[in-house]
Amino acid sequence: MASHSISNPEANSNRLPDSKRSKKRRRIATENQAGQLHNSSTENQTRWKSTSEQQIYSSRLVEALRQSRRTSSAPATGNGVRKTAYRVLAAAAKGRTRWSRAILTNGLRLRQQHKKKKVKVTGGIRSRKPVVKKRLPVLQRKVKVLGRLVPGCRKLSFPNLLEEATDYIAALEMQVRAMAALAGLFTRAEAEEADTSDRLGSNLS
Amino acid sequence: MSSRRSRSRQSGGGSSTISDDQIADLVSKLQQLIPELHSRRSDKVSASKVLQETCNYIRNLHREVDDLSDRLSELLASTDANSAQAAIIRSLLM
């Protein structure tokens, strides 16, 4: 998929020095990804909304959580569950989006580091200029904030960033639905277990 | 450097000048996703507002995931019986 479309430009850029070549490859890759992303974005969005996708995600998440509990000695913390949830979500994206690839390579260290930073909104004359020929700095700032919120999308162009954010939001919504449903299932299972053990206890006594 | 040049460099590639129409189109697409802005008509919501609400929405979703993660971790710790979890997996796959 992606490798096929960038194979030709790679051959052309062989003469450039290393730094420029990697930059050009990255740029071309970004453009190609943008094109592919645009084509597949609609089907991606419907994918995140389908119940089958949510079911697949739920079962994979439960499996991953059980595995992590078996292997690691430390009890499952909320943070561990969170990381696993994002990891499984990113895997479900099948590497088609930038944010999913960023999650799989970086883990979630970045998000924790930047959690405490607040964006200072400098009011004043600059943001109140009535002339809107070019994009205002305020808009640029908000775009930057958005770029920080979506993993791995800090230096993305505006259209690409919006595409990524669109897919990311749909995926997050599915994740929330799936995890809420799982929590409900586990809560009910726990209640049923308690009922069963009570009944057994009362039968024996 | 002028801001426009730095923007075009940031977007990468030769054909990188993003038209305002393209931006408006993408912003309206984004607006459709945000539940708060979905009901309002597009000509009344500025791009800045859409971006702001998008950031807020993503932050809310992150927080929901965090809360659910904490809840799931507690539930998993108490529901240690593998039988219950296996039953859940089976019910999910069916």
Side-chain angles (χ1 to χ4, degrees):
Chain A
M1 290 191 290
S3 57
H4 181 69
S5 50
I6 61 173
S7 61
N8 282 333
E10 263 186 356
N12 289 336
S13 62
N14 268 338
R15 275 175 287 148
L16 297 173
D18 260 275
S19 60
K20 279 196 183 169
R21 192 195 316 167
S22 59
K23 270 192 199 161
K24 191 163 193 176
R25 202 180 299 156
R26 226 182 297 146
R27 254 188 270 150
I28 290 168
T30 313
E31 281 180 356
N32 283 330
Q33 284 160 19
Q36 286 174 1
L37 205 57
H38 185 69
N39 289 337
S40 60
S41 65
T42 38
E43 56 183 64
N44 270 344
Q45 281 176 47
T46 41
R47 198 159 64 88
W48 292 124
K49 294 210 163 102
S50 71
T51 42
S52 58
E53 188 70 38
Q54 185 179 328
Q55 274 195 332
I56 295 173
Y57 174 74
S58 303
S59 52
R60 290 224 181 101
L61 177 60
V62 171
E63 263 308 307
L65 288 173
R66 288 177 77 200
Q67 262 181 17
S68 67
R69 292 194 73 215
R70 272 200 296 259
T71 51
S72 73
S73 54
T77 61
N79 207 17
V81 173
R82 190 170 68 93
K83 280 192 175 170
T84 310
Y86 277 111
R87 199 164 28 91
V88 177
L89 185 71
K94 296 199 175 77
R96 284 198 210 113
T97 52
R98 200 180 185 88
W99 60 262
S100 58
R101 287 191 295 269
I103 289 182
L104 289 175
T105 49
N106 294 337
L108 285 182
R109 285 176 284 119
L110 291 175
R111 209 155 78 70
Q112 287 179 319
Q113 280 172 10
H114 288 275
K115 223 177 183 178
K116 289 176 187 161
K117 266 193 187 171
K118 298 248 179 194
V119 178
K120 262 191 269 181
V121 181
T122 53
I125 300 176
R126 247 181 122 204
S127 58
R128 292 195 198 131
K129 255 187 185 168
V131 179
V132 194
K133 293 270 173 65
K134 300 180 184 178
R135 280 184 283 282
L136 288 174
V138 172
L139 212 59
Q140 285 278 64
R141 238 178 288 139
K142 296 207 201 281
V143 170
K144 246 189 188 169
V145 171
L146 185 62
R148 284 210 302 261
L149 281 174
V150 184
C153 293
R154 246 174 253 176
K155 291 188 184 170
L156 226 50
S157 69
F158 190 55
N160 289 339
L161 175 59
L162 287 199
E163 293 278 0
E164 289 281 334
T166 304
D167 191 67
Y168 187 53
I169 288 178
L172 279 180
E173 286 172 343
M174 186 209 74
Q175 185 180 23
V176 166
R177 283 196 304 267
M179 289 174 78
L182 273 180
L185 280 175
F186 278 122
T187 310
R188 274 208 302 275
E190 191 185 336
E192 281 172 17
E193 285 257 335
D195 281 348
T196 315
S197 60
D198 282 347
R199 261 187 288 125
L200 283 175
S202 64
N203 279 343
L204 287 173
S205 63
Chain B
M1 300 291 148
S2 76
S3 59
R4 181 175 282 187
R5 201 181 308 168
S6 67
R7 261 204 308 271
S8 62
R9 202 174 351 122
Q10 185 188 6
S11 53
S15 60
S16 60
T17 42
I18 311 160
S19 67
D20 282 338
D21 285 342
Q22 205 175 344
I23 291 210
D25 187 43
L26 289 169
V27 167
S28 71
K29 247 181 65 180
L30 200 58
Q31 188 188 334
Q32 301 302 313
L33 296 174
I34 316 296
E36 287 188 19
L37 304 173
H38 194 50
S39 49
R40 299 193 209 169
R41 286 185 4 217
S42 59
D43 54 344
K44 285 190 182 163
V45 185
S46 69
S48 161
K49 175 91 169 147
V50 171
L51 283 176
Q52 183 68 50
E53 291 301 323
T54 307
C55 296
N56 291 341
Y57 188 52
I58 293 183
R59 273 192 280 254
N60 281 339
L61 287 173
H62 281 164
R63 209 185 45 220
E64 278 197 62
V65 171
D66 289 350
D67 292 342
L68 283 169
S69 303
D70 289 336
R71 218 174 121 196
L72 274 178
S73 71
E74 289 174 21
L75 284 170
L76 281 176
S78 56
T79 324
D80 216 348
N82 278 328
S83 60
Q85 295 175 15
I88 287 176
I89 294 177
R90 276 198 298 274
S91 68
L92 283 172
L93 291 173
M94 279 194 281

